[in-house]
Amino acid sequence: MGTVSPAAELLSLHECKVRASLLLKELGSTDSARATRAAARLRALPVFAGLPLGEVLARRESVQRKHVLAVIAREQGYATWSELKHALEARDAPRVDFERLLERVGPHFLNHWFATYEDAVASLRVSGGHLFPFREQFFICQSAVLTALGLDPSDVDWRLAGPNWLEPLDAQAHARLEQRLLKLCGDDAAESLSPPHPRKSAMSSTDSSRARRSDLKREYKEKPPPMGVYAVRNRANGKVLVGSSLNVTGMLNRIRFELTSGMPRIPALLEDWRRDGADSFSFEVLDVLEPPKEPGVDLKAELQVLENLWLERLKPYGDAGYNESPK
């Protein structure tokens, strides 16, 4: 295959598996147009490459999941599914603990948070700063945060590596900065990884600790986070915040972190948090949206319907809650 897609352009492991499942379903569809399109994609594989579409369709009962996974791998720029899987696991393996680093600087800086990588990159291009990952989200901070951590923002390595931690311009500069950040996270974290070295690709690491974290990341990706409706409840005054998310537990973690760090995204909630204390608040999953079996479902629309039901039930407005009153 020769050409490997840049890591930033690759889908997640879960998304690749979903696409493989959809391809297999389309191949068996009674809609001839859909089945023919699927058969055409299968000809990316050597075993089907020389066959006419009609012959591929005639053999579709013999097509297995390993075949459609291989097709997705080829479409992502890899010769085999194993190569793509390895690359994604290496790319997604956590390294620097940015959560621990943010705890070191405390709630003194207002960082900008993003649920998607695309939104974070778009903001970085417009407003500048430094883009870092945080669990399943992303944040952009200014140089003052680096200074607060005891780092030198004028260090030439920051210029060489560039402002986007996930897409460094210089691998060696990035590796040197990574070691400094790991040192800040703690000596144990720094010692658990191999010493600085130029990284030729996302698949170059063989460190056992990193491999273990890659396994954990892979398990998370293969089992997508629950979607649903959540509540942040103030037991001291009975007020509640209701919302929904495609990653409901991740959103609750984000809100807890924002409150702990003093981020005023919901000023009234933060004010009560400071007055009543963290122990007065509970973080709850009210309802979970089961993943649909059929493709093409608008998950955000389904979540909105579920959220509206809970908004109607709890009416978290005014003195009863932190949600904005509906118009």
Side-chain angles (χ1 to χ4, degrees), residues 233-240 319-321:
R233 198 181 303 273
N234 185 346
R235 295 189 296 267
N237 59 18
K239 296 179 69 172
V240 63
D319 293 337

Side-chain angles (χ1 to χ4, degrees), residues 3-318:
T3 302
V4 175
S5 301
E9 298 178 2
L10 292 179
L11 302 171
S12 71
L13 189 59
H14 173 66
E15 289 169 329
C16 287
K17 290 183 176 182
V18 169
R19 290 197 178 196
S21 297
L22 292 176
L23 176 56
L24 194 58
K25 186 172 184 177
E26 288 177 355
L27 185 64
S29 174
T30 55
D31 184 330
S32 60
R34 292 180 62 193
T36 300
R37 286 195 299 269
R41 291 171 65 188
L42 275 173
R43 291 199 296 184
L45 303 180
V47 66
F48 297 113
L51 300 178
L53 287 177
E55 183 65 22
V56 177
L57 286 170
R59 299 186 182 188
R60 56 184 170 182
E61 294 298 328
S62 67
V63 175
Q64 301 175 28
R65 184 166 175 79
K66 66 180 181 181
H67 295 125
V68 291
L69 288 171
V71 170
I72 301 302
R74 294 228 164 197
E75 291 175 348
Q76 288 287 288
Y78 287 81
T80 67
W81 171 252
S82 294
E83 290 181 8
L84 173 61
K85 185 169 177 284
H86 190 179
L88 290 172
E89 289 170 357
R91 181 198 67 178
D92 293 336
R95 298 173 66 82
V96 176
D97 188 345
F98 288 100
E99 181 175 5
R100 182 180 298 182
L101 291 179
L102 285 181
E103 288 175 352
R104 288 173 63 99
V105 300
H108 307 298
F109 300 95
L110 182 60
N111 303 318
H112 298 285
W113 291 83
F114 304 89
T116 69
Y117 178 68
E118 292 75 15
D119 289 345
V121 170
S123 177
L124 182 68
R125 290 170 180 162
V126 173
S127 304
H130 297 270
L131 190 161
F132 297 104
F134 184 95
R135 297 181 183 172
E136 298 303 311
Q137 301 170 15
F138 309 89
F139 71 95
I140 293 178
C141 68
Q142 299 304 313
S143 296
V145 173
L146 303 181
T147 302
L149 287 169
L151 301 169
D152 181 6
S154 64
D155 189 319
V156 67
D157 278 343
W158 288 109
R159 178 176 58 80
L160 292 173
N164 186 344
W165 186 260
L166 296 172
E167 295 186 69
L169 302 177
D170 185 297
Q172 296 188 42
H174 183 267
R176 289 191 293 269
L177 292 172
E178 183 177 59
Q179 290 301 311
R180 293 170 200 162
L181 291 175
L182 286 169
K183 188 66 175 177
L184 290 175
C185 290
D187 292 337
D188 292 340
E191 291 172 0
S192 69
L193 297 177
S194 53
H197 59 280
R199 293 183 296 171
K200 295 182 180 180
S201 73
M203 295 188 290
S204 62
S205 172
T206 58
D207 182 84
S208 59
S209 176
R210 188 177 304 163
R212 172 57 184 156
R213 284 180 289 182
S214 178
D215 289 340
L216 294 174
K217 188 75 171 182
R218 184 185 67 252
E219 292 171 7
Y220 177 84
K221 289 289 186 179
E222 292 178 350
K223 183 179 180 181
M227 306 173 286
V229 180
Y230 62 84
V232 178
R233 198 181 303 273
N234 185 346
R235 295 189 296 267
N237 59 18
K239 296 179 69 172
V240 63
L241 171 72
V242 175
S244 63
S245 174
L246 294 172
N247 180 351
V248 66
T249 52
M251 178 57 73
L252 286 173
N253 288 335
R254 173 181 175 179
I255 294 173
R256 187 194 300 271
F257 178 81
E258 289 176 345
L259 292 170
T260 302
S261 303
M263 298 179 185
R265 187 167 63 90
I266 307 175
L269 179 60
L270 178 61
E271 181 180 352
D272 286 356
W273 174 274
R274 287 172 169 168
R275 184 188 64 244
D276 300 324
D279 291 340
S280 297
F281 287 79
S282 64
F283 296 78
E284 310 164 17
V285 176
L286 296 176
D287 213 337
V288 173
L289 179 66
E290 294 298 329
K293 295 181 180 180
E294 65 277 8
V297 175
D298 188 339
L299 296 176
K300 290 185 178 180
E302 294 282 325
L303 273 176
Q304 189 60 60
V305 171
L306 194 61
E307 180 182 342
N308 288 341
L309 291 174
W310 280 98
L311 289 172
E312 178 63 25
R313 182 181 302 179
L314 298 178
K315 294 181 171 55
Y317 313 115

